[in-house]
Amino acid sequence: MNTEQNKKLGRELFARFSAGDVEGALDLLSDDVVWWLAGKPELSPVAGSYTKERIAKLLYRMMGRLKNGLAMTVKTAI
């Protein structure tokens, strides 16, 4: 994939998630993806590295707790 294709994929992932389509967003990830959430694990329980299975659990849990979902807008990509 080239840079523009990667950017398009990233925008599509966040668009699907923002639309409440967690399964569709996860389908865009490779099975060996490593998702990293910033922060110090001792200060933030969600900080650290996530496998696809682990990030899926977190995303579904988030969507279940947010009444109106979570809208994310990609403003720039490098």
Side-chain angles (χ1 to χ4, degrees), residues 4-73:
E4 289 307 312
Q5 290 170 319
N6 285 332
K7 289 178 184 181
K8 182 179 178 183
L9 183 64
R11 286 189 297 270
E12 179 63 22
L13 182 138
F14 287 107
R16 289 182 185 191
F17 182 72
S18 294
D21 183 11
V22 175
E23 184 174 345
L26 292 168
D27 284 344
L28 296 175
L29 301 175
S30 67
D31 290 336
D32 63 349
V33 69
V34 176
W35 191 296
W36 181 74
L37 295 177
K40 296 180 180 182
E42 65 274 12
L43 299 176
S44 175
V46 297
S49 295
Y50 286 75
T51 62
K52 186 174 183 177
E53 181 181 345
R54 188 171 175 219
I55 197 67
K57 289 177 184 176
L58 177 65
L59 294 176
Y60 279 115
R61 194 167 54 235
M62 283 175 50
M63 293 304 283
R65 293 184 179 182
L66 298 171
K67 182 179 177 182
N68 296 317
L70 178 63
M72 294 186 272
T73 303

